[in-house]
Amino acid sequence: MTSSPEATTPDSSSTATDGALTAPAAAAPAETVTPAPGAETVAPAPAGVGNGTAPRDAVLDAGTFARVREPRGAARLPLGDGTWHQLAKQYVWVQLIANGIVLLIVLAATLFATLFLGWTWAWFVGGVMLAFMLWGILITPRQARSYGYQLRTDDLVFRRGILWQRVVAVPYGRMQLVDITHGPLDRGFGIAQLKLVTAAASTGVTIPGLPQEAAERLRDTLIEVAETRRTGL
């Protein structure tokens, strides 16, 4: 006697037939993270102020040097991470013209004292002064490139100097006054000087040689941020 074949019931876990695609499993819903009670909420930084990793700004970096010049020694103060803004290139010309005028005045005074007053010792005094001033003129381009400032989330960091280096951080909440000044030469070259006044005189910062538009933009930004970060003095 011939037995009939057993009927096979297809299992739900079996592989699909040829030419059929298996439907993907449904994705689990994303878990919603709820902050714990009492957790501190960090507000985002105002416009214009970041964590130091923002790209170069079209206003703050217009017509400025491209890179902060660092000392060559291994013991130098490091730049660290973040975007550094620099001075305008016109600042070098302003310094060269101003120092050149003073140098000519000292030279004229030395010649007058020697030739007309008979003060032969004036050559020694005038020569020493002229030598120092000439050295200052020669290092002006390198010195100007050592200036830089960085806008971080909670403070402004300013650095300058090659031989004598200075790095100072000014918290936004401690700023009391933001002042812009510029002389005749500065106005002629379109630059200005920004001064930050704080409760402690030692932490005050003066940033020279900023483009006029950048100085005004930086002043408005710092005032806005200082109001949001105001702390007790």
Side-chain angles (χ1 to χ4, degrees):
M1 181 177 64
T2 305
S3 60
S4 60
E6 295 182 357
T8 304
T9 303
D11 187 72
S12 60
S13 61
S14 62
T15 305
T17 59
D18 294 343
L21 299 178
T22 304
E31 182 181 359
T32 303
V33 180
T34 304
E40 181 180 0
T41 302
V42 180
V49 177
N51 59 359
T53 59
R56 291 178 62 84
D57 190 273
V59 175
L60 298 182
D61 300 319
T64 64
F65 294 104
R67 183 176 61 88
V68 177
R69 188 68 177 266
E70 293 184 89
R72 298 178 181 178
R76 65 181 183 273
L77 296 174
L79 287 178
D81 298 330
T83 301
W84 286 91
H85 307 284
Q86 288 196 265
L87 308 185
K89 297 178 181 178
Q90 290 84 350
Y91 173 73
V92 175
W93 290 106
V94 171
Q95 291 297 106
L96 291 177
I97 293 174
N99 293 335
I101 292 174
V102 176
L103 186 145
L104 292 177
I105 292 175
V106 172
L107 179 61
T110 302
L111 292 174
F112 179 82
T114 304
L115 300 178
F116 294 95
L117 300 180
W119 297 349
T120 55
W121 52 266
W123 273 115
F124 175 76
V125 178
V128 172
M129 294 179 61
L130 291 173
F132 275 103
M133 295 179 63
L134 183 60
W135 173 252
I137 291 176
L138 293 176
I139 67 173
T140 293
R142 179 182 175 89
Q143 186 181 30
R145 295 184 62 181
S146 70
Y147 284 81
Y149 64 96
Q150 186 182 64
L151 297 173
R152 302 195 298 189
T153 303
D154 298 316
D155 54 21
L156 179 145
V157 179
F158 173 75
R159 65 169 290 134
R160 65 175 175 84
I162 299 294
L163 294 178
W164 289 271
Q165 306 169 49
R166 183 192 183 197
V167 178
V168 57
V170 183
Y172 296 129
R174 294 290 180 175
M175 294 181 185
Q176 295 182 335
L177 177 67
V178 182
D179 183 25
I180 295 179
T181 59
H182 52 185
L185 278 177
D186 294 335
R187 290 194 298 270
F189 284 86
I191 62 176
Q193 174 179 283
L194 187 73
K195 183 177 182 181
L196 310 176
V197 180
T198 63
S202 59
T203 59
V205 167
T206 300
I207 309 177
L210 295 176
Q212 181 70 34
E213 187 177 358
E216 295 175 359
R217 156 85 173 276
L218 186 59
R219 175 199 59 194
D220 297 339
T221 300
L222 292 177
I223 291 175
E224 177 185 356
V225 178
E227 289 298 327
T228 62
R229 308 295 175 84
R230 185 69 63 190
T231 58
L233 300 178

